[in-house]
Amino acid sequence: MINNVGGACYITTGKLDANQAVSGGQYRFYTCAKSPDEIDSYAFEDDVVLVAGNNANGNFHVNRFSGKFNAYQRTYILTAKDGIDIDYIYYALKIELKRLKEKAQGSQTKFLTMPILTNIGLQDIGYDDQVVISKVLATLDKKIEINNKINTELEAMAKLIYDYWFVQFDFPDTNGKPYKSSGGKMVYNEVLKREIPDGCEGAKVGDILCSELGGTPSTKVSEYWSGNIPWLNSGEISNFPIIEAEEHITSKAIDKSATTLMPGGTCVLSITRHLRPSILAVDACANQSVVGIYENEKLKSSYLYPYLKNEIPRLMSLQTSTIWSKNTIIFGHFY
């Protein structure tokens, strides 16, 4: 019989500092980040669940791995005791740690201690039932992984088409032939400082599209958090498309803070450190390091997203500080 993690698992921790990661290393190195780093040596070889013991935002990430690896000293390494399915532990902890974070929202405690971890409750169900549950959830994870691969392939196709049509200007002309390569007329545009197809115009993004800068509700007000509205940080903009968020807020948080609810289909852009665009697949809010750019009847997010991807190198060259203002971001040109 089991009723908590301590009763179901053997638990140890890694021994290394987080800065001992080695780029291009042969083995996985689990720290408190969402995804593992790399390292040249391993200290463990087992079928395990790994849990981040601390995180600045209170996100205690859970990973599943079997093989050789190494770990940071604040990473917990869990192996299953007899009669326990390790995959069941993995999925149970993903749910229970999310609940733990929601209960602790607003607290200054950002550490998952051994007593807290060992006392996380588990349903007392038999091994066979554990396996059935974990297999269903693993099947769903596999489908999500396949869908993500499809998204990546479709994104690559869209980038290729965008480059062909809007960078090389070889979109189909009236005869179905590549415009520029077939001798289509090009004229110099003073706004864009380049030649563009005759009949096209240049305009600033901010003149033809509306945008919103996100904001952060006070973490000291508990009723602003643990709601059902996704709230994104800039790091989550690396996902494409965006279907979920680690944090959730309430409608009251929107009313009482600078954040705003952006509808699904909005193109979003992170504006601190690494500039990244993405598209919301759900209605969501974001922090002040994210700009939402709304599509309109003339320009859709399906065009805006590859446009921004293509503009990132130029936008990065304009960056003068670690934080961009909204006016700095809305500077690119459409044609």
Side-chain angles (χ1 to χ4, degrees):
M1 295 180 65
I2 60 170
N3 55 25
N4 60 34
V5 172
C9 300
Y10 300 106
I11 306 175
T12 187
T13 62
K15 306 300 181 185
L16 302 179
D17 292 332
N19 60 9
Q20 291 186 246
V22 177
S23 179
Q26 183 178 354
Y27 306 102
R28 294 191 181 189
F29 179 39
Y30 287 92
T31 64
C32 290
K34 186 175 183 179
S35 300
D37 288 323
E38 299 166 330
I39 198 167
D40 280 337
S41 61
Y42 74 92
F44 304 91
E45 183 177 5
D46 214 330
D47 191 22
V48 301
V49 169
L50 301 110
V51 181
N54 64 274
N55 185 281
N57 297 316
N59 298 316
F60 305 119
H61 302 298
V62 184
N63 282 284
R64 180 76 175 86
F65 184 68
S66 181
K68 298 175 181 179
F69 65 94
N70 223 319
Y72 166 54
Q73 59 191 349
R74 288 294 300 158
T75 298
Y76 294 107
I77 304 163
L78 287 66
T79 54
K81 294 182 179 180
D82 290 342
I84 304 298
D85 177 40
I86 191 66
D87 288 321
Y88 175 75
I89 297 298
Y90 168 68
Y91 288 109
L93 276 174
K94 288 183 73 173
I95 295 172
E96 294 303 323
L97 287 172
K98 183 178 180 181
R99 290 176 179 170
L100 177 66
K101 179 187 176 181
E102 291 172 351
K103 291 178 182 178
Q105 185 65 53
S107 170
Q108 296 303 308
T109 303
K110 301 298 182 184
F111 300 97
L112 181 65
T113 64
M114 184 70 82
I116 292 175
L117 178 60
T118 57
N119 285 297
I120 290 176
L122 298 172
Q123 290 189 27
D124 186 13
I125 59 177
Y127 178 79
D128 290 342
D129 288 335
Q130 294 174 33
V131 172
V132 169
I133 292 171
S134 63
K135 281 186 175 180
V136 170
L137 295 174
T139 299
L140 292 174
D141 273 352
K142 186 64 177 179
K143 290 183 178 179
I144 292 171
E145 181 183 353
I146 292 172
N147 285 340
N148 287 337
K149 289 181 179 178
I150 292 173
N151 284 337
T152 300
E153 292 174 0
L154 291 174
E155 183 182 358
M157 292 172 61
K159 183 179 184 301
L160 182 63
I161 293 171
Y162 177 88
D163 182 76
Y164 189 64
W165 282 26
F166 301 110
V167 178
Q168 301 179 48
F169 301 118
D170 269 336
F171 50 84
D173 63 13
T174 55
N175 297 314
K177 296 181 179 181
Y179 181 85
K180 186 177 180 180
S181 298
S182 300
K185 184 179 179 181
M186 304 291 290
V187 295
Y188 186 79
N189 184 278
E190 290 290 345
V191 176
L192 299 176
K193 306 300 181 185
R194 62 178 299 189
E195 285 192 335
I196 62 174
D198 186 32
C200 294
E201 297 179 356
K204 290 187 177 181
V205 174
D207 292 339
I208 52 179
L209 294 172
C210 295
S211 63
E212 293 279 0
L213 185 65
T216 301
S218 173
T219 57
K220 297 180 180 180
V221 182
S222 59
E223 59 186 357
Y224 290 171
W225 297 90
S226 303
N228 58 5
I229 302 170
W231 182 82
L232 303 160
N233 61 56
S234 60
E236 293 176 284
I237 307 304
S238 61
N239 300 320
F240 178 85
I242 296 173
I243 60 174
E244 61 181 354
E246 292 183 350
E247 306 271 9
H248 290 76
I249 60 174
T250 63
S251 57
K252 190 170 184 178
I254 298 176
D255 295 337
K256 300 294 184 179
S257 74
T259 196
T260 185
L261 185 63
M262 298 176 287
T266 298
C267 192
V268 287
L269 180 68
S270 63
I271 58 174
T272 56
R273 297 186 63 190
H274 303 293
L275 302 181
R276 299 186 184 97
S278 189
I279 296 178
L280 296 179
V282 295
D283 296 352
C285 296
N287 69 12
Q288 61 274 14
S289 296
V290 177
V291 170
I293 308 172
Y294 299 119
E295 63 180 11
N296 58 25
E297 289 300 317
K298 185 176 181 180
L299 294 170
K300 300 297 183 181
S301 291
S302 55
Y303 173 85
L304 179 59
Y305 171 72
Y307 163 77
L308 287 172
K309 289 272 287 188
N310 189 67
E311 286 286 288
I312 291 300
R314 186 182 69 82
L315 291 173
M316 286 296 294
S317 71
L318 299 175
Q319 190 172 5
T320 56
S321 65
T322 56
I323 299 177
W324 289 56
S325 70
K326 184 171 67 171
N327 289 334
T328 302
I329 284 295
I330 311 304
F331 183 76
H333 299 94
F334 285 105
Y335 38 78

